[in-house]
Amino acid sequence: MRSIAFCLALLCGLLLIPGGETEAAEIHADGVTCSLADAIVAANSDTATGGCPEGDFGADTIVLDADVTLTGPDAGSTNQGGGQAGLPDITDDLTIRAGLGRVIRSSLGATCSAAGLGFRFFNLEAGSLVLEGLSFEEGCFVASANGFGGGIATASGTELTLVDVTVRDHHTLGTGVNFDGGFLHSRSSQVVIEGGVFEEITIAVFNLRGGVIFGESFSGPIALRGVAFRDLDVEGENTFQGGVLATSTDTEVSGCSFTDLEMRSSRSFQGGVLYASNSSFVSFILDGSSVTDLVASGNGVQGGALYTNQQTQIRNTVFARIQAISLSGCSGGAVYSTSSGDPLLDRVVVAETLCQGAGFAEGGGLFSSSPDTVVLDSLFRDNQARFGGPTSNGRGGAILAFDGVRIERSTFLGCGVSPLDSAAAGDAAGGALWISDEVTLRNVTVADSSARAGDGQGQERSGGSARGGAIFYGEQSGGRLDAAHLTLTGNQAIAGDADPGLTDGDAEGGGLYIAASDELAISNSIVSGNTITRAEEDPLAEDCFAAGVVSSSGYNLVLEPDATCEFAAFGDIVGLDPELYPVADYGCYGTLPDGSCLPTAAIDQTSWAVDWGSCGESGVFDDARGQLRREDVVGVPNLADACDAGAFEARDGDEDGVTDAADLCPAVADPDQADGDLDEIGDACDLCMGDNATGDSDGDRVCDGSDVCPGFDDGADEDGDQVPDGCDLCFGDDATGDGDDDGLCADVDCDDGDPANACPIFVDGFESGDTLAWSASVS
């Protein structure tokens, strides 16, 4: 009976523990009594090993209480992907977290070369592994044959989680080999990386997939959240897919940064940072992230930052200062999409990107052959497609989209297509946008962009032709262009010259060029101030050219269309200047991911575009900034329903007859716009009238000309010394501060400007009169 009761008690005790298991063990690896390798074996086997206590049936935890240096492959690791690990294989659920120690390093890091052996850190063969707060340094994996996982390799059915892990100074090398995952190769059912840094990583192999991370087909999802990747040098000598991540499974990248990256290949190149490929049945999400300061070079570049043929969503992300340079052709300076799904770019900034090809160049920011690409609330700025070679062409300074695109509430500024040099005698089309098939444009601004063709001079060739300084549409018949509330201004199409006796290039459509006789509908748009330039001629005003047929839906303002473009529907005005303000930040109802507002070309109450459009016709009830349409400006007659033409809706908040973009006091009615001190602040709202030309810059209600503490609140004086807290060097010290301006506050300054309070005289470090200290020193 006693033994039965004992067994029942034991069983009840087990049942009280969640899952019916004993509590997990915590093993401290101090490097003296218990090594990390022995701790892993103890956790795997639930048996005391070396000086380490046994693990339990549950998910054990190893606390690293001393840094670890690995000197070679561990006998307890299997040969996977071309090499072994420096620690025993993980075969059970295990957490390893930083304690008094956090660094696990390889002794080969400083001498890592293709002649060495090298090893990875971990093989995860079964169960789950959580690594928390650790730093993996000086890793060295040298592949002598095709392999994978230079730092960690995981098997099918496992789960891997990295939390606040640092990977620093890691090397994966291999001559003439195919390699997947320069640091991590995953066949796991799940990989999550939260926080942490990957930096100073060098990868050099023959054929590369995933410079840092590779996710196999049919493995589980991969999530990277808040991870920083920086200072990476990655080379795939032959082919290159994904300088940081190559994935064939569902993938989420959120809140991550990728910066200071150099990626190169001598052959094909796809995705300088991210490569997402398998099919449209898996998804790739890039959210709240940034890719900056990237150089990607190869022979045939597709996607300087991202190559995808998965279902892709890119949200709240910045691509900036990216150079995609190809020895042949370049497609997509930042992003290349060929998915059968519908890629989405939502609130994205693509700035200062270059797609440069010694042959052709297309899509300085984005190349898409995917159906129904969608771009919303985004800014493309200073994107360039530069082409080379005597017969090559350039298309789409910001975007080239073949198979349908919808763009709404977006601006394209300073983009361009141009030749590398005079040896590039080809054609240029679509300074900002080269689009065909099914196209919908709403609230789109294109400004200061250009399509510049190559010259034939010195090559016995004709000059190249330039078409569509802002937008080139067409080439594929059977499509439809549906455009409303466009603003196209300051764009240029510039033709190339030719050698004597040969034909100069032609230039057509400084703003809009329409190539196909498709179904076209344009309404509520402003096309003004665009030019073409032909050989040895001055620029000519030409806002629109149509090789196809323009079907105006009315309410357009076009200053100088070619005779091929007819704007004769109700509400169309031809030949009147819409009086646009420069493209700039005029406020918004939702910022871009870099914190700015979408720049637009504003109009004021004197513009013909104000209250000239029809929201009923366009079906558009906001403008590019998110300002609600129809804003009826007082005193301006309405042609239809008080909607404005173009991408900007003028607003007169104080109803004084002057729109906010031009109003010197937008919140105070001042129809006379008086500005007596010429500070561009109306007298009706000028708190510093006559004081200076800048007003109250720090908002403390003290005008700049009288401000004691610029940049801070003059009224904040917590210690009552009449010195504003923001400029008080002696805050809380005394009531007067530094009276003699010698940098010493009064409480420590022996004279503080008062001759009666004389400072002591020091001789050899002793204060005068201090006989006790002097006596002690000479006794």
Side-chain angles (χ1 to χ4, degrees):
M1 290 294 295
R2 183 169 181 173
S3 61
I4 294 175
F6 175 79
C7 292
L8 288 173
L10 177 60
L11 177 61
C12 291
L14 288 171
L15 291 174
L16 289 173
I17 299 173
E21 298 178 347
T22 59
E23 293 184 2
E26 184 170 278
I27 304 170
H28 287 259
D30 61 7
V32 178
T33 303
C34 175
S35 70
L36 178 57
D38 286 343
I40 291 172
V41 173
N44 283 336
S45 63
D46 298 328
T47 303
T49 304
C52 304
E54 65 183 19
D56 285 327
F57 295 115
D60 297 322
T61 296
I62 296 175
V63 180
L64 190 66
D65 278 339
D67 292 348
V68 174
T69 299
L70 306 176
T71 58
D74 189 277
S77 76
T78 55
N79 193 317
Q80 298 285 340
Q84 293 177 265
L87 290 163
D89 290 352
I90 308 297
T91 59
D92 200 358
D93 296 337
L94 178 62
T95 294
I96 304 176
R97 62 177 173 83
L100 299 176
R102 67 184 306 265
V103 177
I104 303 175
R105 64 167 51 89
S106 165
S107 64
L108 301 178
T111 58
C112 190
S113 69
L117 293 176
F119 49 88
R120 68 175 59 91
F121 292 101
F122 287 113
N123 289 331
L124 175 56
E125 290 298 299
S128 64
L129 175 62
V130 178
L131 303 173
E132 184 175 347
L134 301 175
S135 181
F136 295 92
E137 301 182 4
E138 301 176 27
C140 174
F141 190 97
V142 180
S144 57
N146 296 342
F148 55 78
I152 298 174
T154 71
S156 298
T158 62
E159 293 186 2
L160 176 67
T161 303
L162 277 60
V163 180
D164 294 329
V165 164
T166 297
V167 177
R168 179 180 293 118
D169 193 20
H170 182 84
H171 309 264
T172 294
L173 310 174
T175 302
V177 302
N178 305 327
F179 203 87
D180 297 340
F183 182 78
L184 168 62
H185 178 272
S186 171
R187 290 174 292 180
S188 296
S189 59
Q190 176 178 292
V191 171
V192 177
I193 304 179
E194 302 251 10
V197 176
F198 290 73
E199 62 184 356
E200 300 173 26
I201 293 175
T202 301
I203 311 295
V205 297
F206 188 65
N207 292 325
L208 171 72
R209 294 192 299 178
V212 179
I213 301 167
F214 180 80
E216 281 279 14
S217 299
F218 309 114
S219 62
I222 294 175
L224 310 180
R225 299 172 184 144
V227 187
F229 298 86
R230 59 190 181 223
D231 194 11
L232 309 184
D233 186 338
V234 181
E235 178 177 5
E237 183 182 340
N238 188 49
T239 60
F240 185 111
Q241 295 177 329
V244 173
L245 169 68
T247 175
S248 298
T249 186
D250 291 325
T251 301
E252 170 203 347
V253 179
S254 61
C256 295
S257 63
F258 307 84
T259 189
D260 292 328
L261 313 174
E262 184 172 348
M263 310 295 181
R264 59 191 180 277
S265 171
S266 61
R267 297 289 296 277
S268 65
F269 189 107
Q270 296 176 309
V273 174
L274 305 166
Y275 174 88
S277 177
N278 188 4
S279 72
S280 60
F281 297 107
V282 295
S283 66
F284 180 84
I285 298 173
L286 179 63
D287 188 15
S289 298
S290 63
V291 180
T292 58
D293 301 303
L294 162 67
V295 177
S297 59
N299 188 4
V301 174
Q302 295 179 317
L306 167 63
Y307 174 100
T308 177
N309 70 0
Q310 295 182 352
Q311 291 271 10
T312 299
Q313 295 185 9
I314 306 173
R315 301 177 182 273
N316 305 301
T317 290
V318 175
F319 298 93
R321 299 181 299 281
I322 296 172
Q323 298 182 54
I325 301 172
S326 173
L327 298 175
S328 56
C330 175
S331 300
V335 177
Y336 179 100
S337 174
T338 183
S339 169
S340 60
D342 305 334
L344 169 68
L345 283 74
D346 184 3
R347 212 167 291 279
V348 173
V349 173
V350 184
E352 299 177 52
T353 61
L354 169 66
C355 185
Q356 176 176 304
F360 64 85
E362 46 195 20
L366 165 67
F367 174 100
S368 177
S369 60
S370 302
D372 302 324
T373 301
V374 178
V375 179
L376 305 175
D377 301 294
S378 294
L379 171 63
F380 287 73
R381 177 173 53 81
D382 297 328
N383 314 126
Q384 304 294 323
R386 292 184 183 158
F387 59 95
T391 59
S392 300
N393 302 316
R395 304 185 295 181
I399 293 178
L400 183 144
F402 273 114
D403 199 15
V405 65
R406 176 164 62 94
I407 305 174
E408 298 185 6
R409 297 181 303 277
S410 296
T411 293
F412 300 82
L413 181 62
C415 302
V417 176
S418 62
L420 282 170
D421 53 43
S422 60
D427 300 334
L433 300 174
W434 190 103
I435 48 183
S436 66
D437 206 7
E438 297 292 326
V439 178
T440 300
L441 305 176
R442 296 286 187 271
N443 284 320
V444 172
T445 301
V446 184
D448 304 329
S449 298
S450 62
R452 182 186 297 270
D455 291 332
Q457 292 183 346
Q459 308 162 67
E460 299 182 358
R461 292 184 179 276
S462 298
S465 295
R467 295 182 171 90
I471 299 175
F472 177 102
Y473 168 76
E475 198 162 283
Q476 297 183 15
S477 62
R480 172 180 168 81
L481 172 64
D482 180 5
H485 296 285
L486 304 184
T487 298
L488 310 182
T489 182
N491 304 291
Q492 306 176 68
I494 304 169
D497 297 337
D499 273 335
L502 296 175
T503 305
D504 291 329
D506 199 6
E508 297 167 320
L512 176 63
Y513 180 92
I514 298 170
S517 297
D518 292 342
E519 185 178 354
L520 307 172
I522 302 173
S523 74
N524 291 273
S525 294
I526 299 173
V527 190
S528 173
N530 305 287
T531 62
I532 60 171
T533 302
R534 298 187 174 100
E536 300 179 1
E537 295 181 0
D538 292 332
L540 300 173
E542 184 178 282
D543 291 314
C544 174
F545 181 93
V549 178
V550 177
S551 176
S552 170
S553 298
Y555 308 98
N556 298 294
L557 281 74
V558 185
L559 182 59
E560 297 283 354
D562 182 86
T564 59
C565 294
E566 286 191 13
F567 289 92
F570 179 78
D572 284 343
I573 302 179
V574 174
L576 292 180
D577 188 348
E579 301 179 8
L580 296 170
Y581 279 79
V583 176
D585 178 354
Y586 296 100
C588 58
Y589 290 83
T591 59
L592 296 166
D594 63 359
S596 67
C597 288
L598 185 76
T600 49
I603 53 177
D604 65 25
Q605 73 281 354
T606 65
S607 172
W608 279 96
V610 171
D611 293 353
W612 192 259
S614 171
C615 289
E617 169 63 33
S618 67
V620 176
F621 296 95
D622 60 1
D623 74 356
R625 306 162 299 151
Q627 162 74 35
L628 290 177
R629 295 187 188 268
R630 300 165 289 189
E631 185 73 32
D632 194 352
V633 176
V634 174
V636 176
N638 300 335
L639 182 63
D641 55 15
C643 195
D644 293 350
F648 180 94
E649 180 78 6
R651 181 177 183 274
D652 181 14
D654 55 11
E655 298 186 351
D656 60 0
V658 183
T659 57
D660 291 353
D663 201 334
L664 297 180
C665 290
V668 178
D670 58 335
D672 60 358
Q673 295 289 286
D675 182 17
D677 55 6
L678 303 178
D679 61 357
E680 298 184 4
I681 301 173
D683 294 350
C685 59
D686 193 346
L687 298 177
C688 302
M689 177 65 185
D691 186 285
N692 63 95
T694 56
D696 177 16
S697 300
D698 57 11
D700 63 356
R701 303 187 68 81
V702 178
C703 300
D704 290 349
S706 307
D707 204 323
V708 175
C709 189
F712 299 92
D713 183 359
D714 276 23
D717 181 19
E718 188 173 338
D719 59 4
D721 60 358
Q722 300 183 2
V723 179
D725 294 346
C727 298
D728 194 346
L729 297 177
C730 305
F731 179 75
D733 188 287
D734 66 315
T736 57
D738 178 13
D740 54 4
D741 295 324
D742 63 356
L744 296 174
C745 300
D747 283 1
V748 297
D749 193 343
C750 57
D751 59 11
D752 197 31
D754 182 2
N757 186 16
C759 292
I761 300 172
F762 289 84
V763 179
D764 292 335
F766 295 98
E767 183 178 347
S768 62
D770 191 353
T771 55
L772 182 61
W774 175 264
S775 300
S777 67
V778 297
S779 59

Short mmCIF file of all heavy atoms in Angstrom, two decimals, residues 690-733:
data_model
loop_
_atom_site.label_atom_id
_atom_site.label_comp_id
_atom_site.label_asym_id
_atom_site.label_seq_id
_atom_site.Cartn_x
_atom_site.Cartn_y
_atom_site.Cartn_z
N GLY A 690 7.31 94.31 -37.15
CA GLY A 690 8.34 95.34 -37.12
C GLY A 690 9.58 94.97 -36.36
O GLY A 690 10.56 95.72 -36.35
N ASP A 691 9.59 93.78 -35.69
CA ASP A 691 10.74 93.42 -34.86
C ASP A 691 11.90 92.90 -35.70
O ASP A 691 13.03 93.25 -35.50
CB ASP A 691 10.30 92.37 -33.84
CG ASP A 691 11.39 92.03 -32.83
OD1 ASP A 691 12.32 91.31 -33.20
OD2 ASP A 691 11.29 92.50 -31.69
N ASN A 692 11.60 92.03 -36.61
CA ASN A 692 12.64 91.41 -37.43
C ASN A 692 11.98 90.72 -38.60
O ASN A 692 10.78 90.78 -38.78
CB ASN A 692 13.48 90.41 -36.61
CG ASN A 692 12.63 89.26 -36.12
OD1 ASN A 692 12.55 88.21 -36.74
ND2 ASN A 692 11.94 89.49 -34.98
N ALA A 693 12.78 90.04 -39.40
CA ALA A 693 12.26 89.44 -40.62
C ALA A 693 11.90 87.97 -40.46
O ALA A 693 11.51 87.33 -41.42
CB ALA A 693 13.28 89.59 -41.74
N THR A 694 12.05 87.43 -39.27
CA THR A 694 11.81 85.99 -39.14
C THR A 694 10.73 85.62 -38.13
O THR A 694 10.32 84.48 -38.07
CB THR A 694 13.11 85.26 -38.73
OG1 THR A 694 13.61 85.85 -37.53
CG2 THR A 694 14.15 85.37 -39.82
N GLY A 695 10.29 86.57 -37.31
CA GLY A 695 9.22 86.26 -36.36
C GLY A 695 9.74 85.57 -35.11
O GLY A 695 10.80 85.88 -34.60
N ASP A 696 8.97 84.63 -34.62
CA ASP A 696 9.27 83.92 -33.36
C ASP A 696 9.62 82.48 -33.70
O ASP A 696 8.77 81.60 -33.68
CB ASP A 696 8.06 84.01 -32.44
CG ASP A 696 8.26 83.24 -31.14
OD1 ASP A 696 9.41 82.91 -30.82
OD2 ASP A 696 7.25 82.95 -30.47
N SER A 697 10.90 82.23 -34.00
CA SER A 697 11.31 80.91 -34.51
C SER A 697 11.10 79.80 -33.51
O SER A 697 10.77 78.67 -33.89
CB SER A 697 12.78 80.95 -34.94
OG SER A 697 12.97 81.90 -35.95
N ASP A 698 11.33 80.06 -32.20
CA ASP A 698 11.22 78.97 -31.22
C ASP A 698 9.86 78.93 -30.53
O ASP A 698 9.64 78.14 -29.62
CB ASP A 698 12.34 79.04 -30.18
CG ASP A 698 12.39 80.38 -29.45
OD1 ASP A 698 11.44 81.18 -29.58
OD2 ASP A 698 13.39 80.62 -28.74
N GLY A 699 8.94 79.80 -30.96
CA GLY A 699 7.57 79.72 -30.47
C GLY A 699 7.39 80.03 -29.00
O GLY A 699 6.43 79.55 -28.38
N ASP A 700 8.30 80.82 -28.40
CA ASP A 700 8.15 81.14 -26.97
C ASP A 700 7.49 82.50 -26.76
O ASP A 700 7.53 83.04 -25.65
CB ASP A 700 9.51 81.08 -26.27
CG ASP A 700 10.50 82.11 -26.81
OD1 ASP A 700 10.16 82.83 -27.78
OD2 ASP A 700 11.63 82.18 -26.27
N ARG A 701 6.91 83.05 -27.85
CA ARG A 701 6.23 84.34 -27.81
C ARG A 701 7.17 85.49 -27.48
O ARG A 701 6.76 86.54 -27.00
CB ARG A 701 5.01 84.31 -26.86
CG ARG A 701 4.00 83.23 -27.20
CD ARG A 701 2.74 83.35 -26.35
NE ARG A 701 1.97 84.54 -26.67
CZ ARG A 701 1.14 84.65 -27.69
NH1 ARG A 701 0.96 83.62 -28.51
NH2 ARG A 701 0.47 85.76 -27.92
N VAL A 702 8.46 85.27 -27.72
CA VAL A 702 9.45 86.34 -27.67
C VAL A 702 10.06 86.43 -29.06
O VAL A 702 10.60 85.45 -29.58
CB VAL A 702 10.56 86.06 -26.64
CG1 VAL A 702 11.60 87.18 -26.66
CG2 VAL A 702 9.97 85.90 -25.25
N CYS A 703 9.95 87.57 -29.70
CA CYS A 703 10.41 87.71 -31.08
C CYS A 703 11.92 87.48 -31.16
O CYS A 703 12.66 87.77 -30.22
CB CYS A 703 10.07 89.10 -31.61
SG CYS A 703 8.29 89.42 -31.59
N ASP A 704 12.34 86.96 -32.31
CA ASP A 704 13.74 86.57 -32.46
C ASP A 704 14.70 87.71 -32.17
O ASP A 704 15.77 87.51 -31.61
CB ASP A 704 13.99 86.04 -33.88
CG ASP A 704 13.31 84.70 -34.12
OD1 ASP A 704 12.82 84.10 -33.15
OD2 ASP A 704 13.26 84.27 -35.29
N GLY A 705 14.33 88.93 -32.58
CA GLY A 705 15.23 90.06 -32.36
C GLY A 705 15.42 90.40 -30.90
O GLY A 705 16.38 91.08 -30.54
N SER A 706 14.54 89.94 -30.01
CA SER A 706 14.65 90.22 -28.57
C SER A 706 14.86 88.96 -27.76
O SER A 706 14.89 89.01 -26.52
CB SER A 706 13.36 90.91 -28.08
OG SER A 706 13.04 92.03 -28.86
N ASP A 707 15.05 87.85 -28.41
CA ASP A 707 15.11 86.55 -27.73
C ASP A 707 16.44 86.38 -27.01
O ASP A 707 17.51 86.44 -27.61
CB ASP A 707 14.91 85.42 -28.75
CG ASP A 707 14.39 84.14 -28.11
OD1 ASP A 707 14.81 83.85 -26.98
OD2 ASP A 707 13.57 83.46 -28.74
N VAL A 708 16.38 86.17 -25.68
CA VAL A 708 17.59 85.99 -24.87
C VAL A 708 18.19 84.61 -25.10
O VAL A 708 19.40 84.43 -25.09
CB VAL A 708 17.26 86.20 -23.37
CG1 VAL A 708 18.48 85.89 -22.49
CG2 VAL A 708 16.78 87.62 -23.13
N CYS A 709 17.33 83.64 -25.29
CA CYS A 709 17.77 82.25 -25.40
C CYS A 709 17.14 81.61 -26.63
O CYS A 709 16.16 80.87 -26.53
CB CYS A 709 17.40 81.49 -24.13
SG CYS A 709 18.09 79.84 -24.01
N PRO A 710 17.68 81.88 -27.83
CA PRO A 710 17.08 81.35 -29.06
C PRO A 710 17.02 79.83 -29.05
O PRO A 710 17.96 79.16 -28.63
CB PRO A 710 18.04 81.85 -30.15
CG PRO A 710 18.73 83.04 -29.55
CD PRO A 710 18.85 82.73 -28.09
N GLY A 711 15.90 79.32 -29.49
CA GLY A 711 15.71 77.88 -29.54
C GLY A 711 15.09 77.30 -28.29
O GLY A 711 14.77 76.11 -28.25
N PHE A 712 14.95 78.11 -27.24
CA PHE A 712 14.38 77.65 -25.97
C PHE A 712 13.36 78.67 -25.48
O PHE A 712 13.32 79.81 -25.93
CB PHE A 712 15.46 77.45 -24.91
CG PHE A 712 16.49 76.42 -25.27
CD1 PHE A 712 17.66 76.79 -25.92
CD2 PHE A 712 16.29 75.08 -24.98
CE1 PHE A 712 18.60 75.85 -26.27
CE2 PHE A 712 17.23 74.13 -25.31
CZ PHE A 712 18.40 74.51 -25.96
N ASP A 713 12.56 78.25 -24.51
CA ASP A 713 11.53 79.11 -23.95
C ASP A 713 12.15 80.12 -23.00
O ASP A 713 12.70 79.75 -21.95
CB ASP A 713 10.50 78.24 -23.22
CG ASP A 713 9.33 79.05 -22.67
OD1 ASP A 713 9.32 80.29 -22.84
OD2 ASP A 713 8.43 78.44 -22.08
N ASP A 714 12.10 81.40 -23.36
CA ASP A 714 12.66 82.44 -22.50
C ASP A 714 11.94 82.52 -21.16
O ASP A 714 12.50 83.02 -20.17
CB ASP A 714 12.58 83.81 -23.19
CG ASP A 714 13.77 84.03 -24.13
OD1 ASP A 714 14.35 83.03 -24.57
OD2 ASP A 714 14.07 85.20 -24.43
N GLY A 715 10.70 82.05 -21.07
CA GLY A 715 9.93 82.14 -19.84
C GLY A 715 10.23 81.05 -18.84
O GLY A 715 9.74 81.08 -17.71
N ALA A 716 11.05 80.04 -19.20
CA ALA A 716 11.38 78.94 -18.29
C ALA A 716 12.62 79.30 -17.49
O ALA A 716 13.72 79.35 -18.03
CB ALA A 716 11.60 77.66 -19.08
N ASP A 717 12.45 79.58 -16.17
CA ASP A 717 13.56 79.98 -15.30
C ASP A 717 13.32 79.38 -13.93
O ASP A 717 12.94 80.06 -12.98
CB ASP A 717 13.64 81.51 -15.25
CG ASP A 717 14.80 82.00 -14.37
OD1 ASP A 717 15.72 81.20 -14.11
OD2 ASP A 717 14.77 83.17 -13.96
N GLU A 718 13.58 78.07 -13.81
CA GLU A 718 13.22 77.35 -12.59
C GLU A 718 14.01 77.80 -11.38
O GLU A 718 13.51 77.81 -10.25
CB GLU A 718 13.42 75.85 -12.82
CG GLU A 718 12.90 74.98 -11.69
CD GLU A 718 12.96 73.50 -12.01
OE1 GLU A 718 12.99 73.17 -13.21
OE2 GLU A 718 12.97 72.70 -11.05
N ASP A 719 15.31 78.19 -11.54
CA ASP A 719 16.10 78.59 -10.37
C ASP A 719 16.05 80.10 -10.11
O ASP A 719 16.74 80.62 -9.24
CB ASP A 719 17.55 78.12 -10.50
CG ASP A 719 18.24 78.67 -11.75
OD1 ASP A 719 17.62 79.48 -12.47
OD2 ASP A 719 19.41 78.28 -11.99
N GLY A 720 15.23 80.84 -10.89
CA GLY A 720 14.99 82.24 -10.60
C GLY A 720 16.19 83.14 -10.74
O GLY A 720 16.27 84.18 -10.07
N ASP A 721 17.16 82.80 -11.61
CA ASP A 721 18.35 83.64 -11.74
C ASP A 721 18.27 84.56 -12.95
O ASP A 721 19.27 85.16 -13.34
CB ASP A 721 19.61 82.79 -11.82
CG ASP A 721 19.63 81.85 -13.02
OD1 ASP A 721 18.63 81.84 -13.76
OD2 ASP A 721 20.62 81.13 -13.19
N GLN A 722 17.08 84.65 -13.56
CA GLN A 722 16.82 85.52 -14.70
C GLN A 722 17.60 85.09 -15.94
O GLN A 722 17.77 85.88 -16.87
CB GLN A 722 17.11 86.99 -14.35
CG GLN A 722 16.26 87.50 -13.21
CD GLN A 722 16.50 88.97 -12.91
OE1 GLN A 722 17.29 89.63 -13.58
NE2 GLN A 722 15.82 89.48 -11.90
N VAL A 723 18.08 83.84 -15.92
CA VAL A 723 18.69 83.24 -17.11
C VAL A 723 17.79 82.08 -17.51
O VAL A 723 17.59 81.15 -16.72
CB VAL A 723 20.12 82.73 -16.81
CG1 VAL A 723 20.71 82.09 -18.08
CG2 VAL A 723 21.01 83.87 -16.31
N PRO A 724 17.24 82.11 -18.74
CA PRO A 724 16.35 81.00 -19.15
C PRO A 724 17.05 79.66 -19.01
O PRO A 724 18.24 79.52 -19.30
CB PRO A 724 16.04 81.34 -20.62
CG PRO A 724 16.23 82.82 -20.73
CD PRO A 724 17.34 83.15 -19.78
N ASP A 725 16.29 78.66 -18.56
CA ASP A 725 16.87 77.34 -18.28
C ASP A 725 17.64 76.77 -19.47
O ASP A 725 18.69 76.14 -19.29
CB ASP A 725 15.77 76.35 -17.89
CG ASP A 725 15.11 76.73 -16.57
OD1 ASP A 725 15.67 77.57 -15.84
OD2 ASP A 725 14.02 76.18 -16.28
N GLY A 726 17.16 77.01 -20.68
CA GLY A 726 17.81 76.43 -21.85
C GLY A 726 19.20 76.96 -22.09
O GLY A 726 19.99 76.32 -22.80
N CYS A 727 19.55 78.12 -21.52
CA CYS A 727 20.87 78.72 -21.72
C CYS A 727 21.61 78.92 -20.39
O CYS A 727 22.62 79.63 -20.34
CB CYS A 727 20.73 80.07 -22.42
SG CYS A 727 20.03 79.98 -24.07
N ASP A 728 21.12 78.33 -19.32
CA ASP A 728 21.67 78.55 -17.98
C ASP A 728 22.81 77.57 -17.71
O ASP A 728 22.59 76.39 -17.44
CB ASP A 728 20.57 78.37 -16.94
CG ASP A 728 20.98 78.92 -15.57
OD1 ASP A 728 22.18 79.18 -15.38
OD2 ASP A 728 20.08 79.08 -14.73
N LEU A 729 24.06 78.07 -17.78
CA LEU A 729 25.22 77.23 -17.52
C LEU A 729 25.33 76.86 -16.05
O LEU A 729 26.01 75.91 -15.69
CB LEU A 729 26.51 77.94 -17.95
CG LEU A 729 26.63 78.26 -19.45
CD1 LEU A 729 27.91 79.04 -19.72
CD2 LEU A 729 26.59 76.99 -20.26
N CYS A 730 24.68 77.64 -15.20
CA CYS A 730 24.77 77.42 -13.75
C CYS A 730 23.40 77.11 -13.17
O CYS A 730 23.03 77.62 -12.10
CB CYS A 730 25.36 78.66 -13.08
SG CYS A 730 26.96 79.17 -13.74
N PHE A 731 22.64 76.31 -13.86
CA PHE A 731 21.28 76.01 -13.44
C PHE A 731 21.27 75.42 -12.03
O PHE A 731 21.96 74.45 -11.74
CB PHE A 731 20.63 75.02 -14.42
CG PHE A 731 19.23 74.66 -14.02
CD1 PHE A 731 18.20 75.54 -14.23
CD2 PHE A 731 18.96 73.43 -13.42
CE1 PHE A 731 16.91 75.21 -13.87
CE2 PHE A 731 17.68 73.11 -13.05
CZ PHE A 731 16.64 74.00 -13.28
N GLY A 732 20.50 76.04 -11.14
CA GLY A 732 20.36 75.56 -9.77
C GLY A 732 21.54 75.88 -8.87
O GLY A 732 21.54 75.55 -7.69
N ASP A 733 22.56 76.57 -9.40
CA ASP A 733 23.78 76.80 -8.62
C ASP A 733 23.64 78.01 -7.71
O ASP A 733 24.01 77.99 -6.56
CB ASP A 733 24.97 77.00 -9.59
CG ASP A 733 26.31 77.04 -8.86
OD1 ASP A 733 26.58 78.05 -8.21
OD2 ASP A 733 27.05 76.04 -8.96
#
